[in-house]
Amino acid sequence: MASASVDHMISVTVFLAAILLFSNIFSQTIQTAVIYQQHRSTATKCSDILDSLLLNPGTPPYWALRNLNPSTFGLQDPEFTQYQLSPFALMRLMPTTDNPVYYPQLNTTYSNITLGFGQSLFVPYNKLVNYSTASKLLGLNNTYGFSLTLTPLVSVNIAEVEPEKPGQLKLRIHVTGSGFPLAGAAVNYCFFMINGRGRGSYPTYSIKYNITFADAAGIAYLVFDDFDRSASFLFMAYAHLGGLTGIGYYNNVTYRESFVVPFVSNFETGEVILAHSWDVHAGDNPAEIAFNATFVLLSEDYAFREMPLNNVTGRVVGKLNYGQDPKHAYANLTISTKSSGVLIVTYSKSQRENGAVIMPWGISSLAFPVTFGGDSTNQEWVATDIRQVTVNGIAYQAKFSLWSLEGSQVIGL
């Protein structure tokens, strides 16, 4: 009897142990299947939201250019279809990584996208759509996090190279796509040669427009004769081939202690504020500077075209004196077009101390990248999807990432 009881107890113990073991295995399998289904649902939602963002302009359709806050969120250009985005809606997205700039003359804080000296975009904070607002408009608040990045597909790298003889400026233009050269690409360029100013006058400049073609390696060389290599100049180039378009620019300045800082002020009226750099970034030895501003856009035939500023034909000149005299503390400009382009402001302190700064009117006109949304660094699982888009003709890759804020993991018994 005792032996039978022991055998019975051992059998029951083994049976219960087997049940617990298989329950644990089945539980993990079921949880894994549930998590797989959650991930699959997140991936599907990621694609759906990305298409929703890129294939609708939001409400109202022209919210980006009318200083309005959208009631539904979308980035499509309202004048086009398919994956064509509004360059102005992208300007109004608060950057993920932002080093804000405060301008005391107007008591205003601006978001800051700066790619190098004289290549910047400053937009007032009260004109921006932030991450939390976008999450609410997309119906993701407290359930999902997201991030959106737009990266130019075509790179146009410009550099000075050693000229063949004195008195020359030689530039190398290298055009590449996504990991490959754009062999035979057409390159339309715009060359600003900046002159200084005499006492009491304004800086002047001359412009050359032309076209060249890249070789089989995607490289083109340009040589400008009778050029003073110590002078300031600005060079912009649009490269295009087979529907792919990109832009590059090169800025050489002889004076950086005082310069012009352009701020976007009003999207609807096209107003831009030109500030003195000392009032924004401070620095040493502030000086009065004179400026000469123009606005250029890229036409449908890839030619550069100058457009009016302040509703008048021609260029706009003025002076800035770092806030000492309220009359010249800053200047107002009005861009007289709803098309995207590039604001170019040459400045000078003297004949030999001058330079130029540029600002995109529409994010794509200088191929500025876009980063918007949250940080996915510490997330357990992130769904990602991409689309190829155009922004006013410039080719970009849009990458959208989505993750659950609820979290999930397999737990053993």
Side-chain angles (χ1 to χ4, degrees):
M1 289 292 293
S3 177
S5 297
V6 171
D7 290 342
H8 178 72
M9 293 181 65
I10 292 175
S11 299
V12 170
T13 302
V14 172
F15 178 70
L16 292 175
I19 291 177
L20 290 173
L21 175 63
F22 284 110
S23 295
N24 187 35
I25 294 174
F26 292 148
S27 176
Q28 292 188 33
T29 302
I30 292 171
Q31 289 184 63
T32 301
V34 169
I35 291 173
Y36 170 78
Q37 186 62 34
Q38 291 174 344
H39 288 173
R40 184 175 180 180
S41 175
T42 301
T44 301
K45 194 172 187 66
C46 176
S47 296
D48 291 344
I49 294 173
L50 178 57
D51 284 331
S52 176
L53 269 176
L54 305 183
L55 294 176
N56 90 86
T59 306
Y62 292 90
W63 61 270
L65 273 172
R66 292 179 180 170
N67 294 329
L68 300 173
N69 294 321
S71 56
T72 61
F73 190 47
L75 301 175
Q76 186 185 53
D77 192 321
E79 297 185 357
F80 296 95
T81 59
Q82 299 302 315
Y83 294 102
Q84 301 185 72
L85 307 188
S86 165
F88 299 101
L90 297 177
M91 283 180 71
R92 292 189 58 185
L93 301 181
M94 183 174 289
T96 300
T97 56
D98 189 22
N99 183 22
V101 168
Y102 175 70
Y103 183 46
Q105 293 290 336
L106 297 178
N107 190 28
T108 304
T109 300
Y110 298 81
S111 70
N112 177 8
I113 302 177
T114 300
L115 301 186
F117 177 83
Q119 304 160 14
S120 57
L121 174 63
F122 300 105
V123 179
Y125 262 57
N126 60 5
K127 308 292 185 186
L128 296 175
V129 176
N130 60 34
Y131 175 46
S132 61
T133 298
S135 294
K136 292 177 182 177
L137 294 177
L138 292 171
L140 303 177
N141 196 33
N142 299 324
T143 54
Y144 291 93
F146 75 90
S147 67
L148 174 68
T149 62
L150 286 101
T151 307
L153 276 174
V154 178
S155 297
V156 182
N157 296 310
I158 303 166
E160 285 189 65
V161 295
E162 191 66 29
E164 299 171 0
K165 59 182 180 180
Q168 282 186 339
L169 172 68
K170 189 174 183 180
L171 298 177
R172 179 180 184 268
I173 307 168
H174 189 197
V175 186
T176 56
S178 183
F180 58 90
L182 259 63
V187 181
N188 291 75
Y189 65 85
C190 176
F191 183 45
F192 283 74
M193 294 167 289
I194 303 166
N195 302 314
R197 64 181 179 118
R199 190 169 185 177
S201 62
Y202 302 95
T204 60
Y205 54 89
S206 56
I207 309 176
K208 288 184 178 179
Y209 304 100
N210 213 329
I211 185 173
T212 188
F213 295 89
D215 60 18
I219 297 174
Y221 290 95
L222 290 173
V223 176
F224 300 95
D225 293 313
D226 301 322
F227 185 82
D228 183 356
R229 286 175 57 86
S230 65
S232 296
F233 67 89
L234 172 66
F235 184 87
M236 296 192 302
Y238 280 89
H240 49 97
L241 177 69
L244 290 175
T245 304
I247 182 174
Y249 37 90
Y250 183 84
N251 195 3
N252 180 76
V253 302
T254 61
Y255 180 66
R256 300 190 180 198
E257 291 185 10
S258 294
F259 55 94
V260 177
V261 179
F263 291 111
V264 175
S265 180
N266 190 306
F267 284 94
E268 187 168 15
T269 62
E271 184 181 1
V272 176
I273 301 295
L274 300 185
H276 194 289
S277 61
W278 194 85
D279 289 329
V280 181
H281 304 297
D284 298 325
N285 305 317
E288 179 187 80
I289 52 175
F291 67 84
N292 192 337
T294 190
F295 182 80
V296 298
L297 56 79
L298 185 69
S299 61
E300 292 183 358
D301 59 354
Y302 297 102
F304 288 92
R305 182 172 302 166
E306 290 189 56
M307 299 295 290
L309 284 171
N310 291 0
N311 296 308
V312 296
T313 303
R315 302 162 187 173
V316 176
V317 298
K319 294 181 180 180
L320 299 173
N321 65 1
Y322 55 96
Q324 290 182 332
D325 179 359
K327 181 180 178 181
H328 298 298
Y330 58 87
N332 296 82
L333 292 181
T334 301
I335 297 174
S336 309
T337 177
K338 298 300 183 183
S339 300
S340 64
V342 181
L343 176 66
I344 302 170
V345 185
T346 61
Y347 63 89
S348 66
K349 175 188 174 184
S350 66
Q351 182 70 30
R352 303 297 298 175
E353 298 169 302
N354 50 65
V357 299
I358 52 179
M359 185 200 81
W361 180 245
I363 201 88
S364 59
S365 57
L366 288 176
F368 273 32
V370 176
T371 60
F372 177 66
D375 184 5
S376 63
T377 303
N378 298 318
Q379 301 302 318
E380 180 263 335
W381 194 82
V382 180
T384 301
D385 205 353
I386 62 173
R387 299 286 186 273
Q388 310 304 325
V389 302
T390 59
V391 187
N392 196 44
I394 304 298
Y396 278 79
Q397 181 184 82
K399 178 181 178 181
F400 188 77
S401 299
L402 186 74
W403 57 90
S404 173
L405 297 178
E406 298 173 352
S408 57
Q409 58 181 343
V410 177
I411 302 174
L413 294 177

